[in-house]
Amino acid sequence: MQSVELTQEQWAAIERLRHEDVNRLRLTHHGDPSMTTVIDQIECRARTSKKLASTLSTYPLFIFPSVLSAEQCTSDSLASFHASLIPVDAAVLDMTCGLGIDAIHLATKAACVEAYEINEFTASCVRHNVAAAAIENLKIFCGDSVKRLETLNPDSFDCIFIDPARRGAYGKRLFALADCEPDVTALLPRMLEVAPLVIIKASPMLDIAHTVSELGHNVSRVIAVGDRRECKELIIICERKDTVSPVLCAVTLSGEKISGEWEFTRNEENNAPAIYGLPDAGDYLYEPYPATLKSGGFKSLSSRFKVKKIAPNSHLYSSQSILDDFPGERFRILEAAPFSKKSVRELKGRYDRLDISVRNFPMKPEEISAKLKIKGGGTERLFATKDANDRPIVIVATKE
């Protein structure tokens, strides 16, 4: 097994060359194993400079086992959120340690964390990082956590955290929980014997209703987590108690802070009376964050916030007043009109640039841009959608 430790000369080279182009460095130092290690570390730092900014600044001697580990690791912001879900001073079992970012963050809140990584070199790197950071309540083990689970007594831990591997043979991406490794759908009963709380990190591509059905009545909460650009993951919270209607949540992060939160139940959504209607110029338009969209609750949003939903399948909302706590982006409407030859002609004359979005609309943004002969970008956004009567409309708005 290759050495985990880096020499002082290698650390000096990492610092000296950290802003250099890694592809040029690889050509220059081809065949030099010591420099290959240096370049790998430089590339890993470049790839994770944003998502691991806190970790890399706090632990400057952090070692990455591979470039792939840097690509696949969770971010500091997500790991910090994961840590917020465990009880204070809990005993935690992390069954899928990987690069250890989640385990390190869990250790800031837990009394103790026992983390398992099946790859020997990766486990050695994480163990080195933990020792270098003097994190005394985090122990890293190389081994199969499923086998460890089989040996544990009931209530050995307060919480189990697991992020099943989503890549199969030849790098094929997997999404369904039963296809991932390990299979949490089969392990869940045993995990709940060992700990009363199980936190499962899963792909944002999963269908929430199917996932809840797959895991059974122990699912108490499903959280869609993302930023303002995309939904990053689903977190499934399982407990020993039976839950008929789990709470569905959306959390939007800005760095390590929560900038938008939303929760409801499926029963609430089924019974919520949605308010439909078209907005007017001067009204406020609300576009739910990606995690909010993933969680659903579209009628509940309308009912809870007293906002008009433009159409059943458009998922755009409007109101005459400002709502600071709506879990989405807010715009001020400049104009709203049917999508017709007249409106196309008028839009051409009024705008040089428009950022175009479509919701439940038969044309793609680039097709609309070509039809309007307007370039993309700019400070105003055109929303192309349909009204409650399935008629195409356009709304031009500016970001608040």
Side-chain angles (χ1 to χ4, degrees):
M1 185 178 71
Q2 67 189 93
S3 173
V4 171
E5 300 291 337
L6 272 64
T7 65
Q8 289 185 348
E9 290 77 12
Q10 286 176 312
W11 282 116
I14 291 170
E15 178 61 26
R16 185 177 69 254
L17 302 172
R18 61 193 178 97
H19 297 304
E20 299 291 326
D21 179 80
V22 293
N23 292 322
R24 185 184 64 79
L25 288 173
R26 290 193 189 281
L27 286 173
T28 302
H29 300 281
H30 179 71
D32 183 339
S34 176
M35 282 305 297
T36 296
T37 299
V38 166
I39 297 165
D40 284 346
Q41 295 302 314
I42 291 172
E43 182 171 356
C44 289
R45 279 163 168 72
R47 288 177 179 270
T48 60
S49 61
K50 291 183 179 179
K51 69 176 181 177
L52 294 184
S54 176
T55 292
L56 294 177
S57 63
T58 305
Y59 312 118
L61 299 182
F62 192 92
I63 293 177
F64 293 85
S66 66
V67 174
L68 181 62
S69 70
E71 292 176 351
Q72 295 182 346
C73 74
T74 193
S75 66
D76 281 327
S77 60
L78 288 172
S80 179
F81 180 73
H82 299 156
S84 74
L85 301 174
I86 68 170
V88 176
D89 293 333
V92 180
L93 172 64
D94 182 350
M95 293 183 63
T96 47
C97 179
L99 187 58
I101 304 301
D102 276 313
I104 289 170
H105 282 267
L106 291 170
T108 63
K109 188 177 179 183
C112 59
V113 179
E114 186 176 304
Y116 283 81
E117 168 54 44
I118 202 162
N119 181 279
E120 185 177 357
F121 182 63
T122 299
S124 296
C125 288
V126 179
R127 197 177 292 118
H128 167 276
N129 292 335
V130 169
I135 306 173
E136 296 182 354
N137 64 333
L138 171 55
K139 304 300 180 186
I140 308 299
F141 297 90
C142 180
D144 187 342
S145 62
V146 174
K147 291 182 179 179
R148 171 61 171 153
L149 192 70
E150 294 170 354
T151 68
L152 293 169
N153 294 323
D155 292 314
S156 293
F157 290 89
D158 300 306
C159 175
I160 293 176
F161 180 86
I162 187 167
D163 178 8
R166 302 174 205 165
R167 289 190 183 273
Y170 309 107
K172 180 182 177 181
R173 298 199 69 179
L174 306 173
F175 301 109
L177 288 177
D179 294 336
C180 296
E181 182 66 33
D183 177 4
V184 294
T185 63
L187 288 177
L188 185 59
R190 176 59 182 156
M191 287 193 288
L192 285 171
E193 288 180 358
V194 171
L197 175 66
V198 173
I199 300 174
I200 304 167
K201 179 181 172 182
S203 166
M205 301 298 291
L206 290 181
D207 178 84
I208 292 177
H210 175 75
T211 301
V212 171
S213 174
E214 193 176 25
L215 290 171
H217 291 298
N218 293 118
V219 178
S220 62
R221 183 176 294 260
V222 179
I223 311 171
V225 186
D227 56 24
R228 294 180 182 230
R229 297 182 304 276
E230 63 179 326
C231 182
K232 298 285 190 180
E233 64 186 25
L234 290 182
I235 300 173
I236 303 107
I237 309 293
C238 298
E239 300 180 68
R240 287 172 180 166
K241 64 181 182 182
D242 284 349
T243 304
V244 176
S245 182
V247 176
L248 306 179
C249 314
V251 172
T252 298
L253 300 173
S254 179
E256 294 188 17
K257 296 181 179 179
I258 294 176
S259 61
E261 244 180 319
W262 163 244
E263 68 177 43
F264 63 100
T265 65
R266 185 58 58 192
N267 288 341
E268 179 186 358
E269 171 65 10
N270 292 339
N271 297 318
I275 309 163
Y276 296 104
L278 291 177
D280 296 315
D283 287 353
Y284 294 93
L285 183 74
Y286 298 91
E287 181 183 34
Y289 292 131
T292 308
L293 288 171
K294 177 63 183 180
S295 68
F298 304 119
K299 292 192 299 178
S300 299
L301 278 170
S302 174
S303 178
R304 187 94 61 85
F305 289 96
K306 301 297 187 289
V307 290
K308 292 188 294 186
K309 200 173 189 299
I310 291 175
N313 297 316
S314 69
H315 310 323
L316 291 170
Y317 303 81
S318 70
S319 72
Q320 293 181 333
S321 58
I322 292 178
L323 300 171
D324 289 326
D325 54 348
F326 188 91
E329 301 282 2
R330 185 176 72 233
F331 300 82
R332 192 68 182 267
I333 297 174
L334 301 176
E335 56 183 293
F339 187 70
S340 63
K341 290 182 179 179
K342 179 183 177 183
S343 64
V344 167
R345 185 170 59 251
E346 291 176 346
L347 288 170
K348 286 179 183 178
R350 280 199 285 271
Y351 302 97
D352 295 323
R353 290 181 175 274
L354 283 172
D355 188 14
I356 298 174
S357 295
V358 298
R359 294 275 187 201
N360 184 34
F361 200 77
M363 297 171 66
K364 297 179 180 178
E366 55 269 26
E367 293 174 326
I368 297 173
S369 181
K371 188 176 184 67
L372 295 176
K373 297 180 181 178
I374 294 176
K375 295 180 180 179
T379 57
E380 287 85 25
R381 182 181 295 186
L382 182 145
F383 292 88
T385 185
K386 290 184 178 181
D387 64 15
N389 294 313
D390 208 36
R391 294 173 299 200
I393 61 171
V394 289
I395 299 168
V396 181
T398 185
K399 187 76 168 60
E400 274 283 305

